[in-house]
């Protein structure tokens, strides 16, 4: 996927939380056996009035968090080049700055900003909207490299903007040995809903697009099992109905409506009884 580009690092936001350790472990598979380094980034936020003792305590906590993450990665026993960096600043702006020099930023959701009923913290929601690279927001309490047989679900809409989501979805399915679901969800006005012919034609057209996506990519990913879905309704409704069978959701950064639903107040509907993670593809 990235063979024609220099190996930018994959960045993991570290904050001392268990969720950040899980993000670091998840990111290992993104770079294992490659020349791409994994950069553990801790943003040290200091009060303007911090005294020397407080400054030292924050630095010690940062160093401990980064070294714990490094130890967790080493314990996995996979060949990875690890870099560690501690910078001073506010978490969200500093993480956004980091997205200029990486192809993927991974964060753990639990420790990323204030918790909310949506299942996504404030920092995660900000990065989804403002990052300059792809962003993976890892949810759940996993503390080891586990085999997960649940699906990866990618939402597409038939536009040229689908390409990043498709590339990431197929790569992640291959990398994690997971089944892949390519789907599109749509809504219509009441008048169109009463017209079976129009709904049938829409389904036929979108199914043809999904079939073409599969035909183009499966020769390059013969090990990936793919199925396609066209669903009437919202993407969020589909996720809510199948949440327990999904490990990762892939959405293109240009699908603003779907992203607002996922990380906004309505997102709790889909994420309440699940721990699926989110990858926003750019």
């Amino acid at each position: 996927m990235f063979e024609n580009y220099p190996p930018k690092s994959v960045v993991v936001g570290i904050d001392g939380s268990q969720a950040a350790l899980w993000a670091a472990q998840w990111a290992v598979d993104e770079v294992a056996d490659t020349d791409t380094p994994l950069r553990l980034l801790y943003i040290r936020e200091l009060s303007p009035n911090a005294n020397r003792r407080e400054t030292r305590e924050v630095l010690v906590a940062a160093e401990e968090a980064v070294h714990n993450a490094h130890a967790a990665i080493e314990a996995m026993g996979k060949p990875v080049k690890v870099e560690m960096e501690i910078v001073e600043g506010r978490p969200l702006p500093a993480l956004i700055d980091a997205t200029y020099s990486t192809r993927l930023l991974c964060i753990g959701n639990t420790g990323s900003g204030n918790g909310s009923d949506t299942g996504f913290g404030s920092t995660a929601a900000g990065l989804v909207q403002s990052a300059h690279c792809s962003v993976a927001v890892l949810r759940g309490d996993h503390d080891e490299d586990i085999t997960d047989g649940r699906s990866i679900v990618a939402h597409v809409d038939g536009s040229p903007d689908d390409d990043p989501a498709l590339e990431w979805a197929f790569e992640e399915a291959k990398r994690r040995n997971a089944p892949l679901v390519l789907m599109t969800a749509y809504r219509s006005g009441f008048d169109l809903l009463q017209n079976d012919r129009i709904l049938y034609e829409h389904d036929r057209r979108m199914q043809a697009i999904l079939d073409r996506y599969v035909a183009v990519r499966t020769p390059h990913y013969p090990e990936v099992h793919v199925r396609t879905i066209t669903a009437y309704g919202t993407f969020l409704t589909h996720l809510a109905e199948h949440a327990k069978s999904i490990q990762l959701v892939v959405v293109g950064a240009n699908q603003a409506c779907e992203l607002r639903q996922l990380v906004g107040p309505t997102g709790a509907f889909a994420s309440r009884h699940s721990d699926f993670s989110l990858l926003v593809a750019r």
Side-chain angles (χ1 to χ4, degrees), residues 34 42 55 83 90 107 120-121 129 135 140 144 147 182 186 192 210 212 223 239 245 257 264 267 274:
T34 73
Y42 189 106
T55 300
E83 301 173 347
R90 290 183 295 121
I107 63 169
F120 291 93
Q129 299 175 49
V135 175
E144 59 184 28
T147 299
L182 295 185
Y186 65 95
L192 293 182
L210 294 177
R212 185 172 72 249
E223 61 277 83
L239 296 183
S245 66
C257 178
S274 72

Side-chain angles (χ1 to χ4, degrees), residues 128-129 153-166 183-185 206 210 213 235-236 249-263 278-282:
V128 163
Q129 299 175 49
V153 177
H155 183 271
V156 293
D157 60 10
S159 72
D161 294 330
D162 285 343
D163 282 345
L166 289 165
M183 72 161 299
T184 183
M206 291 309 303
L210 294 177
Y213 286 163
F235 183 43
L236 201 62
V249 173
V250 181
V251 181
N254 291 308
Q255 295 187 26
C257 178
E258 283 72 23
L259 287 176
R260 282 195 302 269
Q261 290 179 351
L262 275 168
V263 302
L278 172 65
L279 194 156
V280 180
R282 290 179 170 83

Side-chain angles (χ1 to χ4, degrees), residues 175-187:
R175 186 175 290 118
R176 303 181 191 283
N177 192 29
L180 174 61
V181 177
L182 295 185
M183 72 161 299
T184 183
Y186 65 95
R187 290 171 292 178

Side-chain angles (χ1 to χ4, degrees), residues 44-61:
R44 186 169 59 126
E45 186 172 18
L46 289 173
S47 165
N49 301 319
N51 57 36
R52 183 177 298 179
R53 179 183 60 81
E54 292 169 333
T55 300
R56 176 60 183 167
E57 289 175 350
V58 171
L59 179 59
V60 169

Side-chain angles (χ1 to χ4, degrees), residues 25-47:
Q25 292 170 315
W26 187 90
V28 164
D29 286 335
E30 299 290 329
V31 298
D33 293 311
T34 73
D35 292 329
T36 303
L38 186 64
R39 181 156 63 103
L40 306 177
L41 176 64
Y42 189 106
I43 293 92
R44 186 169 59 126
E45 186 172 18
L46 289 173
S47 165

Side-chain angles (χ1 to χ4, degrees), residues 18 37 39 43 60 84 106 121 165 194 201 204:
Q18 181 61 47
R39 181 156 63 103
I43 293 92
V60 169
M84 297 179 285
C106 302
Q194 307 306 303
E201 285 300 319
R204 187 189 60 79

